[in-house]
């Protein structure tokens, strides 16, 4: 009985050491990858761009669907990369989450507008249906409207070639 506290401490210290030496996998994978885009129809977020319907993503060509907001700092960081992808011929669709028209217009005026269409997800229901944990988040959708890749967080310069590759794969 005298050695019980020491034995418990050694077991606890051993478990702690194992946890520190072998960290958990922190990769987040979407349950929707490989499944059809959830059905939705979002109104236009701006008067000069059409809204976004899930049916528009099943038009035979791959799309990049970007969930963003004007109040999102990482969304500003990824703006140049989205512009580069648009210049490379990528069809980029936007879902603006919990935004006002004036704030969104100011954001796009300052950071560029690479979007073909921008749907207004004012209550965040489409974002939730996609299993998105926050903004920004980007999905590669094939020509049949199936999600083939999910990118969590901002798109950085080193991600552009990878996303172009994912879009090329989605085209085949």
């Amino acid at each position: 009985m005298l050695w019980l506290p020491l034995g418990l401490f050694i077991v606890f210290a051993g478990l702690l050491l194992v946890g520190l030496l072998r960290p958990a996998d922190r990769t987040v994978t979407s349950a929707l990858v490989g499944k059809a885009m959830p059905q939705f129809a979002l109104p236009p977020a701006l008067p000069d761009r059409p809204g976004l319907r899930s049916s528009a993503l099943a038009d035979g060509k791959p799309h990049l669907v970007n969930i963003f907001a004007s109040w999102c700092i990482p969304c500003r960081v990824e703006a140049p990369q989205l512009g580069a992808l648009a210049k490379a011929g990528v069809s980029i669709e936007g879902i603006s989450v919990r935004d006002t028209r004036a704030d969104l217009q100011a954001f796009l005026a300052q950071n560029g507008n690479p979007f073909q269409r921008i749907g207004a997800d004012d209550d965040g229901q489409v974002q939730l249906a996609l299993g998105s944990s926050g903004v920004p988040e980007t999905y590669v959708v094939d020509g049949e409207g199936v999600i083939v890749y999910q990118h969590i967080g901002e798109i950085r310069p080193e991600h552009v070639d990878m996303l172009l590759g994912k879009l090329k794969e989605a085209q085949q």
Side-chain angles (χ1 to χ4, degrees), residues 54-129:
S54 54
S55 60
L57 302 172
D59 63 356
K61 64 179 185 170
H63 296 269
L64 206 63
V65 178
N66 182 256
I67 300 176
F68 74 103
S70 66
W71 44 264
C72 162
I73 301 299
C75 296
R76 294 178 191 279
V77 172
E78 78 174 357
Q81 287 71 249
L82 288 174
L85 287 163
K87 284 181 185 171
V90 174
S91 178
I92 304 174
E93 314 299 342
I95 297 176
S96 173
V97 179
R98 296 180 198 94
D99 234 327
T100 66
R101 184 169 282 179
D103 290 343
L104 183 57
Q105 286 174 322
F107 173 85
L108 295 173
Q110 183 178 19
N111 298 289
N113 187 349
F115 303 106
Q116 302 282 321
R117 294 175 267 246
I118 304 174
D121 190 14
D122 293 332
D123 59 3
Q125 291 303 307
V126 173
Q127 180 186 19
L128 289 174

Side-chain angles (χ1 to χ4, degrees), residues 152-170:
I152 298 172
E154 73 272 8
I155 298 169
R156 297 182 184 168
E158 61 267 22
H159 299 140
V160 171
D161 288 338
M162 179 270 301
L163 286 170
L164 287 171
K166 295 284 186 189
L167 286 158
K168 189 174 182 178
E169 289 172 16

Side-chain angles (χ1 to χ4, degrees), residues 2 7 21 25 38 40 52 55 78 89 91 105 108 130 133 136 150 156 160:
L2 183 63
L21 295 176
D25 182 14
F40 64 85
L52 183 61
S55 60
E78 78 174 357
S91 178
Q105 286 174 322
L108 295 173
L130 284 167
S133 59
Q150 177 184 13
R156 297 182 184 168
V160 171

